Each structure stands twice: as structure tokens, then as C-alpha cells.
Amino acid sequence: MQLSDFYYDLPEELIAQDPLLKRSDSRLMVLNREDDSIEHKVFRDIKDYIKPGDCLVINDTKVLPARLIGSKEGTGASIEVLLLKRQDDKTWETLVKPGKKARPGARISFGNGKLIGEVTDVVEEGNRLVRFEYDGIFEEVLDELGQMPLPPYITHQLEDKNRYQTVYAKHTGSAAAPTAGLHFTDELLSELTDMGVKIARVTLHVGLGTFRPVKVDNILEHHMHSEFYMIDDEAANIINETKANGGKIISVGTTSTRTLETAADADGTIKPCSGWTEIFIYPGYKFKCVDRLITNFHLPQSTLLMLVSALYDREKVLEAYKVAVDERYRFFSFGDAMFIL
């Protein structure tokens, strides 16, 4: 299967640069796999397609304000540091720009010295290990000085950090938001639970690898990035009970999907577990746990589009994307949503 099989043409003006005033006002394209129909709705209408006894699986990861802008001690040169993966209490694997100014031994000051980072090593793909010095609690310092690590296709400044968090974000550790969940409000979730819909919380900390382009023509040669996930007893029990009672497992986003499909036994049973996943889901994959998917519109030739194409027919997904372009849907992280029934 070739990378070009997942290309579609997207006008740049359809890439959403800002979140809507109200999360659930985004548009919703509903794809029905039984009759191949397409409906155009508003996201809050999603409750019309979910039945009592069904289970929504949400990813409750919380995005770190992981983008730090500082200056190199001695020269004052501006340096951007993006936190990727925590190594220990004070050391992080980071992406540093410009890298040539961040050789081992370089010290970078943030917030007039409230936070100091020293480059200690250069590792895989040119990433830097940075050891931080600070007073107090790192997360509080980061919350004060850090910015949200918005995807490279978003050029506008985000006025409210919380708009790049889901309303149910809990466990800090992501470098990017699980964007399908951005459409939910507390009110909509309450309406769903009042209807008898179950909510299962899993955690997958989204890595920046989610934005890395596929660089091989044969997608089978692509190596997925590794991401940490957790499923606790409560979530596993809710999901297994739903399956046993004939309810549908509705995954909110590709990250929840990757978590469930990593953890599921052959019969779809979920056991409480945690670990690192590199699962790559593309057409031909047989889903074990996930029945339906709520997701955003993804980049051309991305692994996320490949996952969506695995759940539904690739050509029909690309046809739906063409319809979305024609209907002027908003694309990517702050864009509109799709529900595959």
C-alpha cells in the first residue's frame, strides 16, 4: 500500500486556526457504513446517534504547556525548547531550535532566570537532553512560563490555554491534545450520561510523533512513534460490561482507538494495563474492540487518516473528505468532526 493512496487536496484556508467560541458548535459529518450515507449535523447532535448502554471511551490526558522560549546565557540568542519526554525529575528529552546554538554545556534562561536549562547530551534524531534548575514545583513553573505546543499548521496565537485541553483532561503528559475530545462540553457529557451512556476514561500521552510526516512510499516500512498509555480497572470493567451487554464501544479519537486496540485480547476483552504502544493501524487491520469512531479531519498521507481508512473503506473515506472540502468543513486540530457509525 502506497503513501500516495492517502493523498487528498486541501485548500489551505480550510485549516482551522482558532477554536470556535463554543466547543459543541462545530460541525459533524456522520458516515454510516451500513448504507454509505453522509449526513451533515452539528456536534451536539451526536447524542442522536448514541444509544443507552453504549460506551464512550475518552482519553483524559492533559497537554503540557511544553513550549518554552528562552535566551542562551552569554550571547542572549533566542532559543525555543519543546519538552518531549521526561527522563527523571529534572531531565527532559527536548526538541531545540536552533539546535546549533544548543550544544552540550549550553545554558538557557527562561522567565528572567525563573527556570534554567542546561543541555547535557544530544540523542536520537538530534533531540537534546536538558536538565532544569528551578525553585518550587516544576509543573507550576511550567504553567507560568510555558506555551501550548500547537501543531505547526496553526499559526495563530492561542488566547486561552484551556481551549487546547479537553474539558475532562486529568493526567498531565501530552505534547499534543487528543483533538476529537475538544468538541465535548461538560453539559453534553452530562446529557449523554443521563441518557444511560457509559463513559470510560483511558489515558494515552500524545507524542509529537503524531505530527511527523510519513516519509516512505510503502507505508508498511513506516515505523510508528512510541506513546505511553494506561487503562485502569474501572475503565476495563465498563468496556467489558458494555461488550457483554451488546452495547457499542465508541472511541473518541485515534488516541483512544490505539489504546484500546493495543490492550484488547483477540475477543475484544480489555484487561487493566499500562505500557508503551507503537501500534500502526492501516487498511486490512481487524478491529478487536472499537465499534465506532469520533474523530477530526486529518492531514493528507498521515497515519491518522490511515487508521480511519482501516475502520471504513479507504476510497469512501477519501470521498467523504472531498465532500468535506466542497462543504467547507474546518480541518485538523481546531476543526470539525466526523462520526463513523
Side-chain angles (χ1 to χ4, degrees):
M1 192 163 286
Q2 298 298 300
L3 183 60
S4 57
D5 293 335
F6 299 91
Y7 177 79
Y8 68 93
D9 190 37
L10 178 69
E12 190 173 339
E13 67 268 18
L14 295 185
I15 300 174
Q17 292 295 323
D18 303 287
L20 295 180
L21 194 60
K22 187 172 182 182
R23 293 171 183 262
S24 58
D25 281 350
S26 53
R27 297 169 72 187
L28 177 70
M29 177 183 281
V30 182
L31 301 186
N32 191 318
R33 287 177 289 171
E34 288 189 2
D35 59 10
D36 295 329
S37 63
I38 296 177
E39 293 183 272
H40 304 289
K41 298 289 184 176
V42 177
F43 191 81
R44 57 181 172 272
D45 296 331
I46 202 162
K47 56 185 180 289
D48 297 336
Y49 299 88
I50 303 176
K51 297 177 180 178
D54 288 346
C55 175
L56 273 183
V57 181
I58 59 177
N59 180 7
D60 65 3
T61 187
K62 191 171 185 178
V63 185
L64 279 167
R67 184 170 176 254
L68 292 160
I69 308 296
S71 56
K72 184 177 179 181
E73 290 187 352
T75 68
S78 179
I79 294 182
E80 177 181 328
V81 175
L82 193 61
L83 306 182
L84 299 179
K85 190 183 296 183
R86 196 169 205 155
Q87 303 293 315
D88 58 41
D89 282 350
K90 294 192 174 184
T91 303
W92 285 76
E93 182 178 341
T94 69
L95 179 65
V96 179
K97 296 179 182 178
K100 63 183 179 181
K101 294 182 180 178
R103 295 187 174 90
R107 290 171 62 83
I108 308 160
S109 174
F110 308 94
N112 295 318
K114 285 186 178 178
L115 181 67
I116 301 291
E118 181 175 339
V119 179
T120 61
D121 200 1
V122 180
V123 292
E124 188 180 358
E125 296 182 351
N127 293 343
R128 267 61 173 171
L129 293 185
V130 176
R131 183 169 178 81
F132 290 100
E133 303 167 11
Y134 52 90
D135 292 326
I137 299 171
F138 181 75
E139 285 75 11
E140 292 179 357
V141 176
L142 190 62
D143 194 50
E144 178 186 350
L145 301 179
Q147 301 174 19
M148 283 298 177
L150 295 179
Y153 48 74
I154 294 178
T155 58
H156 291 189
Q157 190 72 30
L158 185 62
E159 293 182 8
D160 179 3
K161 284 183 182 180
N162 287 326
R163 289 312 308 273
Y164 197 56
Q165 303 279 20
T166 61
V167 297
Y168 45 76
K170 183 178 180 182
H171 299 290
T172 302
S174 270
T179 54
L182 295 178
H183 306 282
F184 284 96
T185 62
D186 288 321
E187 178 185 18
L188 181 54
L189 288 168
S190 294
E191 289 179 23
L192 288 166
T193 53
D194 289 345
M195 285 170 48
V197 176
K198 300 173 183 178
I199 309 287
R201 291 170 168 260
V202 301
T203 305
L204 181 137
H205 292 320
V206 189
L208 277 182
T210 193
F211 300 122
R212 284 191 183 135
V214 178
K215 296 180 179 179
V216 291
D217 291 330
N218 180 356
I219 69 166
L220 300 184
E221 297 173 2
H222 177 67
H223 178 69
M224 285 291 285
H225 55 286
S226 180
E227 295 171 318
F228 183 76
Y229 72 93
M230 299 181 291
I231 302 177
D232 64 16
D233 289 331
E234 181 180 6
N237 289 337
I238 292 171
I239 294 164
N240 293 334
E241 286 173 8
T242 299
K243 282 279 191 187
N245 294 330
K248 299 295 186 184
I249 302 300
I250 302 166
S251 182
V252 179
T254 57
T255 60
S256 297
T257 301
R258 295 179 70 238
T259 302
L260 293 175
E261 294 300 312
T262 295
D265 289 341
D267 63 357
T269 301
I270 297 289
K271 292 186 176 70
C273 57
S274 64
W276 294 85
T277 180
E278 295 179 350
I279 190 170
F280 182 17
I281 297 175
Y282 52 86
Y285 178 85
K286 302 299 182 186
F287 285 82
K288 298 173 288 185
C289 182
V290 173
D291 298 308
R292 296 177 174 178
L293 173 64
I294 300 167
T295 188
N296 279 22
F297 292 91
H298 303 294
L299 276 74
Q301 300 182 324
S302 64
T303 60
L304 308 180
L305 181 55
M306 294 170 195
L307 183 153
V308 175
S309 299
L311 187 64
Y312 194 18
D313 180 86
R314 178 188 65 86
E315 291 184 358
K316 288 187 169 61
V317 168
L318 291 176
E319 286 173 13
Y321 269 58
K322 185 177 186 306
V323 171
V325 169
D326 292 341
E327 294 290 331
R328 310 297 288 176
Y329 273 70
R330 301 164 75 247
F331 279 67
F332 307 163
S333 296
F334 287 140
D336 297 315
M338 172 186 284
F339 190 10
I340 301 177
L341 301 179

